[in-house]
Amino acid sequence: MAAREAGDWLHAPLSVYEVHLGSWRRRADGGFLGYREIAAELVPYVAELGFTHVEFLPVTEHPLDESWGYQPSGYFAPTRRFGDPDDFRFLVDQLHQAGIGVILDVVMNHTAEGGTDGPVLNYKGLAPEFFYHRDGANYRDYTGCGNTLNMRHPRVLQLIMDSLRYWVTEMHVDGFRFDLAATLAREEHAPDRMSSFFDIIHQDPVLSQVKLIAEPWDVGADG
């Protein structure tokens, strides 16, 4: 963590280069470069452009390549399509050594399991009645993706907070951009700026110290 703590980017004004790792580079044979190979090309390129940060589009595991990562199936590991967690950490640390901070675009508002007719991958099979906003057996859809994670439930909130802390303390990232952040603030129905999620993230000793960016809308009423 020494390189990260010494970086000037932690308190610098943001100039952000958005990166989708899956489309950054392809080999001639059509295969993807790995995290370490991407680092060799991406780091000098962003440094030359003069950006203070990169923002990675979603990197957590997801079942659909065409979703660009916006259909998450897990929250605690970078996708293995490009390497293992140590390889991802290497990419982050190489950016830090170049004085470039790392922000993750995180999708904490829904999962890849869709609505009532969607696939059962994990959370829907475990306990859909508390993982998701629901009306009986029907899933409330404030995200346009068939379901909405229920941040009002303490176990769901714990899952997301533990995930965010993991990315900071273990993967060394410097902040987050929350996809459809209004969804995270929904209580029974409408968003509330005093919601449980916003309140607890403000008080967290780790997460309150990193850069936090909110996409300030969703597709539900009052979103």
Side-chain angles (χ1 to χ4, degrees), residues 71 110-111 113-116 124 132-133 138-148:
Q71 294 289 354
H110 74 281
T111 72
E113 296 175 86
T116 305
K124 187 187 282 188
Y132 301 99
H133 284 275
N138 296 317
Y139 291 78
R140 295 179 190 163
D141 184 9
Y142 302 125
T143 65
C145 298
N147 65 68
T148 306

Side-chain angles (χ1 to χ4, degrees), residues 28-201:
D29 62 6
F32 287 114
L33 300 175
Y35 293 121
R36 290 177 181 266
E37 296 164 298
I38 290 172
E41 298 187 7
L42 177 65
V43 174
Y45 179 76
V46 177
E48 182 178 357
L49 292 175
F51 287 92
T52 64
H53 293 70
V54 296
E55 178 191 320
F56 290 145
L57 271 65
V59 298
T60 57
E61 198 59 72
H62 54 280
L64 304 173
D65 284 334
E66 62 268 24
S67 75
W68 283 52
Y70 285 94
Q71 294 289 354
S73 56
Y75 295 107
F76 280 90
T79 176
R80 293 189 64 87
R81 289 171 173 83
F82 316 119
D84 62 28
D86 285 339
D87 294 330
F88 180 83
R89 190 184 294 110
F90 174 85
L91 170 59
V92 173
D93 290 345
Q94 289 296 298
L95 286 160
H96 285 165
Q97 288 182 31
I100 301 166
V102 178
I103 295 171
L104 293 188
D105 188 348
V106 288
V107 183
M108 306 296 192
N109 54 75
H110 74 281
T111 72
E113 296 175 86
T116 305
D117 298 327
V120 176
L121 302 176
N122 41 26
Y123 305 110
K124 187 187 282 188
L126 288 172
E129 67 278 5
F130 70 68
F131 271 109
Y132 301 99
H133 284 275
R134 301 212 306 176
D135 287 317
N138 296 317
Y139 291 78
R140 295 179 190 163
D141 184 9
Y142 302 125
T143 65
C145 298
N147 65 68
T148 306
L149 277 180
N150 179 19
M151 290 293 172
R152 298 175 63 242
H153 196 285
R155 296 287 77 80
V156 180
L157 189 58
Q158 180 184 12
L159 169 74
I160 297 306
M161 295 298 292
D162 287 350
S163 166
L164 295 172
R165 283 189 290 264
Y166 163 83
W167 286 100
V168 174
T169 60
E170 299 298 325
M171 294 291 106
H172 304 171
V173 305
D174 306 293
F176 303 96
R177 178 265 190 191
F178 294 97
D179 182 67
L180 300 184
T183 304
L184 307 179
R186 285 190 178 271
E187 291 296 306
E188 179 57 30
H189 288 283
D192 182 353
R193 66 177 182 173
M194 302 300 291
S195 67
S196 300
F197 176 76
F198 286 163
D199 183 52
I200 197 170
I201 205 169

